[in-house]
Amino acid sequence: MAPHRLIRRKPRSPGTTREVRVQDPAASMALIFDAMKRPIDPLYEDVARKREATGEGLVRRPGRSPLLVATIIALGFLLGAAAHALRVPDSVQADRHAQLVEQVEAKQKANDDSAAEVEALRTELDSNRSSALTRQERSNLSADLTAGERTAGAAAVSGPGLTVVIENPEDAEADAADSDPRTGEDENALTSSDLQHVINGLWSSGATAVSVNGQRITSLSAVRFAGSAILVNYRPLATPYTVTAIGPSDMQNKFESGFSGDYLTSLRKSDFTISTSRGNVTVPARGTIRIAHAQPVR
């Protein structure tokens, strides 16, 4: 199909003719159809056809070398052996855990034996000191020393007081002392802050001696929270927490009507089991008291 065609038109003046070359629209459409049907240049298509005929255009896959296969097998064997060597058997882990538990129990028993020996020596020291003080000129020196020991927590005291027992909810950890401090605290378990509120409330209500699960609270005591375990005097405590306080007869009314009573009410709403009782109680002495500063009394 010719892209152009000739058209004879009548001239404006008589006796002359003029030929005008006009572009055929069908020729442009033919180019578009050709580009859509044959997008590859004919030269490239001819070259590709020749390569297929001679076999040059075929892709040759290299064969698997025996050395490559052997290398892969050796690497897999080495990786498997390394993983097996690094994995600790369950029996070894159980044995190590049992050894650690045995060592901890042995250390605790040795610590308890040492504490009992210290208590026996303290009793003997108190007896000898009392005998020596009776020979002094000041007759009230022994009474003053005994009062100072009770105030400092170095001696056990007994008398009318209040007992507050707080137990964690059933869905909380059964024994906070056995928990792992690295796992973080349990939202449903009593925290050191809760216990501090109770102890401070008893002090502000007039208590003269306070203990928690047998641990005497003194000016050198610390109630801390390590993970999900409450530490008092660096000893882990387990639920239920028994707070014992010695004080005046109106201590319970002041305690329950103050901020601590409202705090215990909020704990009850959180499914904590709380009970209070009044009667004659005994607050033990602090095991070991270290004196940082001292001066003679004249």
Side-chain angles (χ1 to χ4, degrees), residues 7-288:
I7 300 176
R8 296 182 180 271
R9 291 185 178 181
K10 294 182 180 181
R12 295 182 180 178
S13 59
T16 61
T17 59
R18 185 179 61 176
E19 293 182 358
V20 180
R21 189 176 298 274
V22 180
Q23 186 175 2
D24 190 0
S28 301
M29 296 300 297
L31 292 175
I32 294 175
F33 291 151
D34 188 60
M36 293 176 61
K37 293 180 179 179
R38 302 179 61 185
I40 302 177
D41 189 89
L43 295 178
Y44 286 105
E45 192 174 359
D46 293 340
V47 173
R49 192 179 295 109
K50 292 179 180 180
R51 287 183 176 179
E52 290 180 359
T54 57
E56 295 180 359
L58 298 177
V59 179
R60 297 180 180 178
R61 298 182 179 179
R64 296 180 180 177
S65 174
L67 180 60
L68 178 61
V69 175
T71 303
I72 294 175
I73 294 175
L75 288 176
F77 177 77
L78 291 176
L79 291 175
H84 180 74
L86 293 176
R87 186 179 64 85
V88 179
D90 296 337
S91 59
V92 176
Q93 292 182 354
D95 293 341
R96 291 180 180 177
H97 181 269
Q99 292 177 2
L100 290 175
V101 172
E102 185 179 356
Q103 292 177 4
V104 170
E105 292 178 351
K107 294 294 182 181
Q108 290 179 349
K109 184 178 183 304
N111 191 16
D112 294 339
D113 295 341
S114 299
E117 185 178 358
V118 169
E119 187 64 25
L121 293 175
R122 181 180 288 110
T123 302
E124 183 179 357
L125 179 62
D126 293 341
S127 177
N128 295 332
R129 183 176 56 192
S130 299
S131 301
L133 289 176
T134 55
R135 297 190 295 267
Q136 297 294 328
E137 297 179 358
R138 296 177 56 184
S139 59
N140 59 346
L141 184 59
S142 178
D144 293 342
L145 182 59
T146 301
E149 287 180 343
R150 291 177 178 177
T151 303
V157 292
S158 300
L162 179 66
T163 301
V164 181
V165 180
I166 308 175
E167 189 172 1
N168 289 331
E170 295 181 357
D171 56 346
E173 295 180 358
D175 191 354
D178 296 336
S179 59
D180 188 355
R182 296 170 295 179
T183 59
E185 62 182 71
D186 188 352
E187 295 180 355
N188 298 326
L190 197 75
T191 64
S192 60
S193 299
D194 300 329
L195 204 57
Q196 289 172 6
H197 281 299
V198 176
I199 295 173
N200 293 333
L202 290 172
W203 285 124
S204 62
S205 301
T208 57
V210 180
S211 66
V212 182
N213 286 20
Q215 294 296 321
R216 181 73 172 267
I217 304 298
T218 66
S219 58
L220 302 178
S221 299
V223 181
R224 299 179 178 178
F225 200 54
S228 56
I230 297 179
L231 305 180
V232 178
N233 296 334
Y234 302 102
R235 288 292 187 94
L237 303 183
T239 185
Y241 304 99
T242 303
V243 184
T244 306
I246 294 178
S249 58
D250 59 345
M251 180 177 62
Q252 183 175 2
N253 295 331
K254 291 182 179 179
F255 178 76
E256 293 179 351
S257 62
F259 173 77
S260 298
D262 297 336
Y263 196 84
L264 289 181
T265 302
S266 64
L267 291 179
R268 286 191 180 96
K269 293 180 180 180
S270 301
D271 296 333
F272 284 90
T273 304
I274 301 174
S275 61
T276 57
S277 60
R278 183 168 180 82
N280 291 328
V281 296
T282 299
V283 177
R286 174 76 184 270
T288 302

Side-chain angles (χ1 to χ4, degrees), residues 283-298:
V283 177
R286 174 76 184 270
T288 302
I289 297 179
R290 297 180 180 179
I291 300 177
H293 303 282
Q295 59 182 6
V297 178
R298 298 180 181 178

